[in-house]
Amino acid sequence: MAAHIGRRLRKGAATTAVAAAAVAALSASQAPGATVDDQGRQSTGDATSAPDTAADDSATGNSPYYTDLPPLNSPNPSPSAGSGDAGDQRAGEAGIPATVLDAYKQAEATLREKKPGCNLPWQLLAAIGKVESGQARGGRVTADGTTVTPILGPQLDGNGFALIRDTDNGAYDGNRMYDQAVGPMQFIPSTWDWAGRDGNGDGRKDPNNIYDAALAAGHYLCRFDWDLSQQGDLRKAILSYNNSTDYLNTVLSWLEFYRRGTHEIPDGTGALPVDRSDDTARPGVTPSAPGTTPPARPGKPSGSRPSPSPAAPGNGGSPSTPPVTPPPATPPTPTDTVHHLEDAGTGTLTAMAGHTFAERVSTRAETEAGKAVAKVRIRFTLVGDTDTTFTGGETVATVTTDASGVAVAPALQAGERTGAFAVQAAVVGRSVKGVPYRATVTARAADALALAGEKEPSCVAGGEFAEPVQVKATYRGEAAGKVAVTATLVTSADDPAENDKGPYFKDADGKAVRSLTGLKTDADGQLTLPKLYADDTAGTFLLRLTTTGGATLDVKLTVEPAAAPSPEPDPSTDPAPSTDPSTDPSETPAA
């Protein structure tokens, strides 16, 4: 024990400088006590005080984490340190297990494509993975990235930790009373339920799989349109994962360490962290390490009934056995008092594809008596076959109710997929009936079409129109991009039937067609039609263009008659050539 304590003291003294330097380098422009609220807005407070944000609004529920700091030696293994226990230990601390490292890099590549503005570095995932689980407990994972044994944090029962009652009926953490952080990136079940991703393509979202967990962590860190290349957004993102200034500083120190370089090591050979943030949270109780069953709380034996009181008759207890003292009752939180949710006056949720919904979802949290409940987190989730998102590109948003008990979701941004879907409102951390809201995305539309240019198209019968027909679509005076257009050569203004003569288009095989579908305007509302040809029929014809939304435009096409060919000369009517030498220049006598 003395040797163990001595080692930890020496390590702490050696690594304090690393943490100080890393934090100074990465966060000099930010106040040390920066915290974030439910919407990711930053505020500044006392660096020594605990941030005031609900635990179940963070990825981990503000669960305990490893506080070990990076070693002072170079992240890359030194050739002279390749043998001996000291060298092996340094390599293990600096190295990242192969499968775990691959998962971080794959997540970075995916986010680079899906959310390029986030600028997520894989080293940030590595830093969080180190602090949360010691890189999946040293890389103890199977070939597909699943941890050999589940990694669980302590149950969040409010006894030395946050209070988060069960939200998943034990589906992820096996605990039907309280939530526990799960997996190598330590997501609590209520967060994984919406943030989980399938990172290894097996069709499942498993918090115990490093590929799934790393991708989920990446998406979680990239919400709210944060740009992680900016120090302010980087700090907000880290604090949203676990709202602790000490946590922020520890992650930043490992981020800086991994940015200086690292190396791949075999799975299962990573060094296991030693120090944890809950080492002194509960005196007399050994802190639980991720991957182990949490120890019993004082006065709350795990898996057994309380010992009977020695004063009870017939219990056979010893008078010297102290009675079990139940923990003090936890006062109800605002969330505990919510009985139901009500719609708070949300209007019709309809928007055209690619546009922002004018209405926003509004929900009110109430007690059983109908009294408003403030400071309750409401989670809004998009449900159904839709590519609509909230502002920022996420399909889930969490908003805290105001003094009137109302939470207003961020604006909805319609995607290109039309049809109906739902927005589900639910209370974070409490199972009460939610409120579904029906929303609809309609096809892009135009209410006006205009011919580009003043000249009406014309050509000669049997020829082709020199200039293609160009039109512009607008909607309420603005350019209507990506609007579907149908072009048909109609019989007349009063007869929309397709004409069987006059101008025509050509299909891919070169055959004449007089109706085209599947045309779309560009982003500026412009559309250039394919080339038009004319048969041998002269006259005036109509090209009718129609769009979704009812805009119609008739374009007049003129086909001029072909010019009559010049007649061939008739030899029988030509005069006979003259034989008079006086009229033949070739026979003019010499002077």
Side-chain angles (χ1 to χ4, degrees):
M1 175 62 76
H4 171 68
I5 294 174
R7 177 173 62 81
R8 286 176 56 177
L9 289 174
R10 289 193 298 273
K11 179 180 178 183
T15 56
T16 298
V18 174
V23 172
L26 286 166
S27 57
S29 64
Q30 303 295 322
T35 62
V36 292
D37 63 11
D38 293 88
Q39 300 309 305
R41 295 183 292 265
Q42 180 171 311
S43 61
T44 303
D46 187 337
T48 61
S49 62
D52 184 19
T53 292
D56 52 353
D57 243 8
S58 69
T60 69
N62 297 334
S63 293
Y65 56 90
Y66 287 112
T67 58
D68 298 47
L69 295 173
L72 290 174
N73 59 289
S74 169
N76 294 305
S78 170
S80 61
S83 61
D85 292 342
D88 292 342
Q89 182 181 0
R90 286 196 298 272
E93 289 176 332
I96 299 178
T99 299
V100 178
L101 180 60
D102 182 59
Y104 296 150
K105 292 185 176 181
Q106 280 198 31
E108 180 198 55
T110 300
L111 269 297
R112 190 185 302 123
E113 176 185 353
K114 299 292 185 182
K115 295 186 176 183
C118 179
N119 295 305
L120 171 78
W122 67 261
Q123 292 92 339
L124 176 58
L125 297 176
I128 291 176
K130 180 71 173 182
V131 171
E132 292 294 348
S133 67
Q135 309 297 20
R137 293 186 60 76
R140 289 163 176 78
V141 296
T142 59
D144 70 346
T146 303
T147 56
V148 175
T149 56
I151 299 177
L152 295 174
Q155 66 177 13
L156 300 174
D157 59 3
N159 189 5
F161 306 117
L163 172 62
I164 305 179
R165 294 186 174 87
D166 176 56
T167 61
D168 65 330
N169 199 29
Y172 295 118
D173 54 15
N175 190 334
R176 297 187 179 185
M177 292 187 65
Y178 302 97
D179 272 353
Q180 295 175 246
V182 182
M185 303 304 279
Q186 289 289 277
F187 279 97
I188 54 173
S190 59
T191 301
W192 181 262
D193 190 53
W194 63 265
R197 296 292 193 278
D198 178 14
N200 63 351
D202 64 356
R204 299 174 61 238
K205 299 175 183 179
D206 182 3
N208 290 298
N209 182 280
I210 185 59
Y211 288 98
D212 295 359
L215 184 58
H219 276 279
Y220 185 91
L221 294 165
C222 287
R223 70 199 194 287
F224 300 125
D225 281 342
W226 282 330
D227 178 359
L228 302 185
S229 66
Q230 302 296 317
Q231 296 305 318
D233 283 358
L234 175 65
R235 292 172 62 92
K236 293 177 192 176
I238 296 172
L239 284 168
S240 77
Y241 210 89
N242 191 315
N243 199 5
S244 160
T245 304
D246 289 339
Y247 180 87
L248 168 70
N249 293 339
T250 305
V251 170
L252 287 175
S253 66
W254 279 105
L255 172 59
E256 177 65 12
F257 179 76
Y258 287 135
R259 277 177 167 168
R260 295 204 310 268
T262 185
H263 59 281
E264 178 184 299
I265 60 175
D267 289 345
T269 64
L272 296 179
V274 175
D275 304 325
R276 286 172 55 82
S277 60
D278 59 341
D279 278 352
T280 59
R282 292 169 292 137
V285 179
T286 303
S288 60
T292 63
T293 301
R297 301 289 187 266
K300 298 178 76 173
S302 176
S304 62
R305 296 181 179 179
S307 301
S309 168
N315 63 16
S318 169
S320 62
T321 303
V324 175
T325 303
T330 303
T333 66
T335 301
D336 295 331
T337 66
V338 177
H339 178 265
H340 60 272
L341 296 178
E342 293 284 349
D343 176 30
T346 305
T348 303
L349 296 170
T350 302
M352 189 187 303
H355 289 64
T356 301
F357 282 71
E359 283 286 327
R360 292 167 66 176
V361 177
S362 182
T363 300
R364 174 182 164 95
E366 297 182 354
T367 64
E368 187 173 7
K371 184 179 178 182
V373 184
K375 297 183 180 180
V376 173
R377 287 158 303 287
I378 306 298
R379 177 169 295 126
F380 298 95
T381 306
L382 304 188
V383 181
D385 184 17
T386 183
D387 56 355
T388 295
T389 64
F390 291 110
T391 302
E394 294 295 332
T395 59
V396 176
T398 303
V399 181
T400 303
T401 57
D402 59 18
S404 62
V406 174
V408 180
L412 287 166
Q413 179 65 42
E416 296 301 322
R417 196 170 301 161
T418 60
F421 64 97
V423 182
Q424 184 72 33
V427 179
V428 176
R430 184 167 174 79
S431 296
V432 298
K433 186 177 181 181
V435 178
Y437 297 83
R438 180 183 173 85
T440 304
V441 176
T442 60
R444 289 177 179 265
D447 55 16
L449 276 172
L451 185 66
E454 300 178 357
K455 224 173 153 185
E456 291 184 336
S458 65
C459 76
V460 177
E464 60 183 52
F465 289 79
E467 297 294 333
V469 176
Q470 293 181 317
V471 296
K472 181 171 183 177
T474 56
Y475 182 77
R476 296 181 180 176
E478 300 292 333
K482 301 181 181 179
V483 173
V485 179
T486 298
T488 305
L489 289 147
V490 297
T491 301
S492 68
D494 299 324
D495 186 356
E498 183 180 301
N499 208 337
D500 59 357
K501 58 185 177 181
Y504 60 90
F505 300 104
K506 287 184 179 180
D507 64 12
D509 298 324
K511 296 179 181 179
V513 292
R514 290 186 168 87
S515 184
L516 295 177
T517 59
L519 304 172
K520 279 192 176 182
T521 61
D522 62 18
D524 297 322
Q526 303 277 358
L527 173 64
T528 300
L529 272 66
K531 183 181 286 293
L532 275 164
Y533 303 86
D535 61 13
D536 294 334
T537 307
T540 300
F541 302 88
L542 284 182
L543 170 63
R544 178 162 292 172
L545 302 172
T546 58
T547 71
T548 306
T552 302
L553 174 67
D554 285 344
V555 180
K556 186 168 74 172
L557 305 176
T558 303
V559 180
E560 302 287 351
S566 300
E568 294 290 335
D570 187 353
S572 64
T573 61
D574 287 348
S578 175
T579 58
D580 185 355
S582 65
T583 62
D584 186 353
S586 64
E587 298 297 331
T588 303

